[in-house]
Every structure is written in C-alpha cells, then in structure tokens.
C-alpha cells in the first residue's frame, strides 16, 4: 500500500516532465517549421516512397499488379509515375478504389475507401511534381500468388472446357469431387477464372454426395421447364406473357403466383463476378464442406472473340486455422416476376422476404445485370423497428462486391427484409444493350435479375472440436500447378 502511494507522485512527475519535454520539442519544431515555410515558401515534400506507396500497397495494388484485373500496375514508382494525374483524379473523385455501398449505411470489414488524409497526400504528391523520394523510405511491396488474392491451402480446377467462337451465352454446370474424407471448414475462398475474356461469372456451390449424382444427370439432359420459362441453347428465360409482379411484396392467395419473392439457402464458398474479390469471412466464421461433397461450378460463358477458347476455372480454398464458432450459408432472395418497359429510366422492383429463423448477419451482395441502377434493403424487425441495412446508390454491373459486415449481429426470426431496386432501361444508361426491349428475368446479362443475397451464420455455435480440419492437407488434389 505504502509503496503504491509513494510511487504515484513519481509516476506523475515522469509523465509531466516527458510531456513538458515533448511540448517544448513541438514548440521548437513549430518555430523551425514556420521559419522554413517563411523563408522558402515550401511545404514538406510528399514523395512516392515515403507517402504514396504505403497507400497504393494497402488500397490499390491488390488489383493494380501485373496480370490482374486492372489495366496497369502501380507497384513501383516507374509504373505509377505516368499515371500520377489519373491516380489523383480517380481518388479525388472517389472512383478508386471501387466501392459502391453508401458509406453512411453500415460498417464493412472490406471497405477499401481512402481517408480524406490519404486523398490529400495523393493530391499533394501529384500536384507537387510526383517526386520519387528516398529509396530507403520505400516499404516492402505486398506479394501475390499466381493470380490469387488469398493464399489457398487447396486449389480445385474444372476439366478443360472449350468455349466455341460465337457462343454468346451458356450456363455450364461442372461437378468437381472434393474427395474430402472428413468435413472441412472454409474460412476464405476465391474463384479464379481460367480465361477472364469468356468467363462472365462462376458460382461455386457445395453439393452433398447424395445430391450430386441426380444433379449431374439432370444437367446432362435437357432441363425441364415449367409453363413460365423457356430455354434457348443453355440458358433460361422468363416467358413474355408470364404474370408480372414488380411489387414482390404483394402476397395473396388470389394471385397466380401467391408470393413473388423467393428465398433459397445456398452454400457458396465463393463466386466470381465482375470486380469481385475473394470471400474472406470474419475469424470464427466458416463455410462447411462435408466429407464426400462435390463442388458445382456454374460457369456463365460468353465468347465474343471470334475464335475458340479453352478455360479451366479454379477455386482456391483457405481452411480455418482457429476454432470455428459459426457456420456460414447464404439466403438468395429474388423477385423474378418483374417486367421493365422499354425506355424506362427508373423502373422500381421490390422483394419481401421474412426470415424463417434467427441468424447472425455476415454480408450482403446486390445482384442485377446491365440495367441495374440502385438497390436498398431495409429490415423491419418483429418489434416494428425499421432499419436500412444496405444501400448501393449507384449500382454498376462491372463492380459486384460482397460487403462483409464489421460487426455481425443477430437478426431475429420474423424480420422482414424489404429490398427496393431501380432499373435504368433508357438510352442514358451507357451499359444498356438495347433500350427498345421489354425486359424480363433471364440468365443472359442482356436480360435482368433482381437479387439480394444475405450471407448469414447459424446462431447455434458449432462444436469447436468439429472445426479442427486444417491438419490433413489434401494437397495432392490440387489439379493446378
Ligand atoms: C478491386 C480492384 C481495384 C482496386 C482495389 C483499385 N483499382 Fe483502379 N482500376 C481497376 C480496374 C479493373 C480498372 C479499369 C476499369 C475501370 O476503369 O473501371 C481500374 C482503373 C483505374 C484507373 C484509370 C485508368 C485509366 O485507364 O484511366 C486509375 C487511375 C486507377 N484505377 C487507380 C487506382 C488507385 C489509385 C487505386 C487505389 C487507391 C485503385 N485504382 C484501386 C481495379 C481496381
């Protein structure tokens, strides 16, 4: 006790004298700084090596490195220097890094947006002559692994597919056995297209060992269509005269389609969509691939190159290294019954889905095609409270990110998820393939979809013992390399 009392004043003394020294130094610095500024009229020099490279390494080079999705590498001064003005422009206008969720709604783990300070630094660098600076200041550059944005423990690859010249739209279903002899927990995953020029999207879903043979057979034959759908080649469409429900919240037994909103559960380790990077789940959250499962690769091919192309698309899996507490899956909520009139620049479509169970909310994805304009999802909780969860004010087909929440939260059973989408089928939409067409649901990108996907975890914790799956590396399965 005595010792403690005795030590208190000493502590204060030390603190005080340190603070005093520091403020003296700061004062000194200010005086010197003012003198320098006064004398030479020069602000401290912003350089690539000291100030800009750390920002690019953290926020940009994930796409801007050789052979990735961006058109140029920004890894070195030599590569970045010619782009200085364009870089400044892109960050000041907040076009780069790409991010389409409203920054005022929700907090996301994978939000890459720059701080105002970072933008200021890049602005000052470009305006100040884009100087290189001292090589000693350059941080170590991040490294990348053969096109992956994660470091996969295992890579599974589809057999070679020949995508014929003139193939405009095909959905191929390819089944790859995992040969897992025990359940595996996937913490992160990424789909890597074999040839980005022809792979429009690729969704990888887990299919159980029982289900797989039936599915393989049904996709090998011609798929059966109901009276509302038709098929051309290997893609499905809604018939022009199928019933129309732009308001997916209008539920009534008198309607031909009683409930136009559908919501299915899917187990998707990863998906490839334009501008979409790896799925990295929060620690403790993982997707299960049960022993013996298959991975279904649904690959949307479209070849406009005028020659045959071969593709081998892969999925890279990162196994959970720590204990898994929450098993992740995904609700895919759709309204497929809309009709978008020709030349309509602001066509509203809604969906309403009531959660059948308690879930922990993990991530959101908005999915539309070229005419998608905006999407907002609001939760109406069982206690009547409303909350906007997610808002993509300017949807862009070329950037379909999944937005992972910083803080997972419990959403109770009975919560109604109301999603409102707008479509732009006018000539003002630069991506619109044809404003003169009436548009219904369809698998080709030139037709439309209206989907809100909610990645969630079961509330009941996973048995921690079941989660230790990372010890048996099935690396010989890796078909690539
Ligand atoms: C998720 C991937 C990704 C990230 C992260 C990213 N970019 Fe890009 N960037 C792209 C792609 C793809 C393009 C080309 C398509 C486009 O312009 O939309 C591009 C285009 C650009 C362009 C325009 C090039 C031109 O032709 O005029 C600039 C400049 C740029 N990026 C700078 C940056 C900077 C600076 C950052 C970080 C602050 C960044 N990007 C982060 C993918 C990315």
């Amino acid at each position: 006790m005595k010792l403690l009392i005795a030590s208190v004043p000493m502590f204060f003394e030390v603190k005080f004298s340190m603070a005093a020294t520091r403020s003296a130094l700061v004062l000194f610095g200010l005086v010197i700084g003012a003198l320098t500024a006064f004398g030479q009229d020069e602000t401290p020099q912003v350089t690539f090596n000291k100030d800009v490279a750390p920002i690019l390494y953290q926020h940009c080079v994930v796409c801007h490195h050789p052979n990735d999705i961006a058109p140029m590498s920004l890894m070195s001064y030599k590569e970045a220097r010619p782009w200085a003005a364009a870089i400044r422009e892109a960050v000041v206008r907040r076009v780069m890094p790409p991010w389409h969720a409203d920054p005022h709604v929700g907090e996301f783990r994978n939000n890459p947006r720059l701080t105002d300070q970072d933008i200021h630094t890049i602005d000052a660098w470009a305006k100040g002559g884009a100087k290189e600076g001292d090589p000693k200041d350059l941080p170590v550059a991040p490294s990348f692994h053969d096109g992956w944005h994660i470091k996969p423990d295992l890579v599974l690859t589809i057999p070679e597919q020949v995508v014929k010249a003139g193939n405009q739209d095909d959905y191929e279903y390819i089944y790859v056995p995992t040969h897992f002899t025990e359940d595996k927990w996937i913490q992160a995953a990424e789909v890597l297209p074999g040839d980005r020029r022809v792979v429009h999207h690729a969704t990888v879903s887990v299919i159980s060992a029982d289900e797989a043979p039936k599915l393989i057979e049904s996709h090998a034959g011609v798929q059966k269509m109901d009276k509302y759908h038709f098929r051309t080649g290997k893609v499905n469409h809604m018939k022009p005269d199928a019933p129309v429900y732009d308001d997916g919240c209008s539920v009534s037994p008198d309607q031909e389609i009683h409930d136009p909103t559908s919501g299915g559960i899917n187990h998707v380790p990863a998906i490839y969509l334009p501008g979409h990077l790896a799925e990295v789940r929060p620690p403790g959250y993982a997707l299960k691939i049960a022993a013996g499962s298959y991975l279904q690769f649904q690959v949307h091919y479209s070849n406009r190159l005028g020659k045959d192309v071969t593709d081998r698309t892969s999925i890279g899996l990162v196994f959970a290294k720590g204990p898994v507490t929450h098993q992740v899956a995904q609700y895919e909520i759709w309204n497929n019954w809309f009709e978008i009139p020709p030349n309509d620049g602001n066509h509203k479509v809604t969906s309403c889905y009531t959660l059948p169970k308690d879930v922990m909310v993990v991530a959101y994805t908005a999915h539309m095609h070229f005419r998608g304009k905006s999407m907002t999802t609001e939760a109406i909780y069982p206690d009547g409270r409303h909350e906007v969860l997610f808002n993509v004010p300017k949807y862009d087909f070329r950037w379909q990110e999944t937005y992972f929440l910083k803080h997972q939260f419990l959403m109770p059973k009975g919560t109604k998820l109301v999603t409102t989408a707008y479509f732009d089928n006018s000539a003002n939409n630069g991506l619109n393939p044809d404003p003169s067409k009436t548009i219904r649901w369809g698998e080709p990108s030139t037709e439309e979809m209206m989907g809100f996907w909610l990645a969630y975890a079961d509330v009941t914790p996973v048995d921690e013992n079941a989660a230790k799956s990372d010890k048996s590396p099935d690396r010989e399965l890796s078909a690539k390399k």
Side-chain angles (χ1 to χ4, degrees), residues 52-133:
V52 174
I55 301 172
L56 301 185
Y57 288 177
Q58 193 186 340
H59 297 272
C60 317
V61 301
V62 60
C63 304
H64 287 274
H65 68 265
N67 303 320
D68 209 281
I69 61 173
M72 73 289 195
S73 168
L74 298 176
M75 294 284 283
S76 67
Y77 177 72
K78 236 174 133 177
E79 290 167 309
R81 177 65 187 87
W83 292 96
I87 290 171
R88 185 197 158 271
E89 167 92 10
V91 301
V92 167
R93 290 177 45 229
R94 284 197 180 275
V95 178
M96 287 283 151
W99 184 255
H100 294 81
D102 180 344
H104 307 295
V105 179
E107 276 188 274
F108 300 100
R109 297 168 60 78
N110 55 334
N111 181 350
R113 281 164 60 91
L114 301 184
T115 61
D116 290 345
Q117 180 59 48
D118 289 343
I119 293 175
H120 180 76
T121 300
I122 289 178
D123 182 45
W125 175 67
K127 284 184 176 158
K131 300 273 170 23
E132 179 168 16

Side-chain angles (χ1 to χ4, degrees), residues 50-367:
K50 181 159 60 68
D51 309 289
V52 174
I55 301 172
L56 301 185
Y57 288 177
Q58 193 186 340
H59 297 272
C60 317
V61 301
V62 60
C63 304
H64 287 274
H65 68 265
N67 303 320
D68 209 281
I69 61 173
M72 73 289 195
S73 168
L74 298 176
M75 294 284 283
S76 67
Y77 177 72
K78 236 174 133 177
E79 290 167 309
R81 177 65 187 87
W83 292 96
I87 290 171
R88 185 197 158 271
E89 167 92 10
V91 301
V92 167
R93 290 177 45 229
R94 284 197 180 275
V95 178
M96 287 283 151
W99 184 255
H100 294 81
D102 180 344
H104 307 295
V105 179
E107 276 188 274
F108 300 100
R109 297 168 60 78
N110 55 334
N111 181 350
R113 281 164 60 91
L114 301 184
T115 61
D116 290 345
Q117 180 59 48
D118 289 343
I119 293 175
H120 180 76
T121 300
I122 289 178
D123 182 45
W125 175 67
K127 284 184 176 158
K131 300 273 170 23
E132 179 168 16
D134 190 338
K136 282 205 305 286
D137 293 335
L138 187 67
V140 178
S143 56
F144 299 95
H145 318 273
D146 300 336
W148 299 103
H149 302 99
I150 51 173
K151 210 172 174 179
D153 294 316
L154 175 69
V155 174
L156 293 169
T157 302
I158 60 172
E160 190 169 285
Q161 308 289 309
V162 178
V163 190
K164 293 261 184 236
N167 161 333
Q168 295 282 297
D169 278 294
D170 254 14
Y171 272 43
E172 295 291 344
Y173 292 82
I174 303 140
Y175 294 81
V176 176
T178 61
H179 299 302
F180 289 163
T181 51
E182 58 177 7
D183 296 351
K184 296 279 189 188
W185 290 95
I186 310 304
Q187 205 267 320
E190 180 174 15
V191 176
L192 195 64
D195 190 327
R196 287 183 206 282
R197 298 173 304 171
V198 297
V199 177
H200 266 219
H201 86 242
T203 309
V204 179
S205 308
V206 180
I207 307 291
S208 71
D210 308 343
E211 257 181 296
K214 280 177 276 173
L215 278 172
I216 291 169
E217 197 181 333
S218 74
H219 284 132
V222 178
Q223 272 187 313
K224 281 205 192 77
M225 290 284 107
D226 63 17
K227 64 176 176 173
Y228 302 118
H229 296 87
F230 69 103
R231 192 168 171 82
T232 56
K234 288 181 174 177
V235 280
N236 300 330
H237 320 258
M238 185 70 78
K239 283 188 180 164
D241 59 353
V244 175
Y245 303 94
D246 288 333
D247 178 6
C249 303
S250 83
V251 180
S252 158
D254 301 335
Q255 291 173 183
E256 184 169 340
I257 305 299
H258 298 174
D259 183 356
T261 300
S262 61
I265 294 178
N266 208 349
H267 298 270
V268 182
I271 183 168
Y272 170 75
L273 289 166
H276 185 101
L277 298 179
E279 325 275 330
V280 182
R281 302 177 178 96
Y285 285 73
L287 184 130
K288 181 169 148 179
I289 302 183
S293 296
Y294 284 66
L295 294 182
Q296 177 201 65
F297 286 68
Q298 179 208 57
V299 190
H300 178 182
Y301 287 116
S302 183
N303 182 356
R304 283 150 218 255
L305 297 172
K307 57 172 181 189
D308 293 2
V309 170
T310 56
D311 172 63
R312 291 195 73 192
T313 287
S314 305
I315 186 167
L317 303 174
V318 177
F319 299 127
K321 304 295 189 289
V324 175
T325 48
H326 289 89
Q327 179 174 355
V328 174
Q330 174 163 296
Y331 280 112
E332 298 184 356
I333 300 165
W334 305 98
N335 175 356
N336 297 342
W337 300 96
F338 55 83
E339 183 177 87
I340 308 171
N343 301 305
D344 188 338
N346 203 36
H347 188 74
K348 181 176 170 181
V349 179
T350 57
S351 71
C352 271
Y353 184 72
T354 302
L355 277 181
K357 59 178 180 179
D358 291 350
V359 298
M360 294 296 291
V361 180
V362 176
Y364 312 124
T365 310
H367 183 65

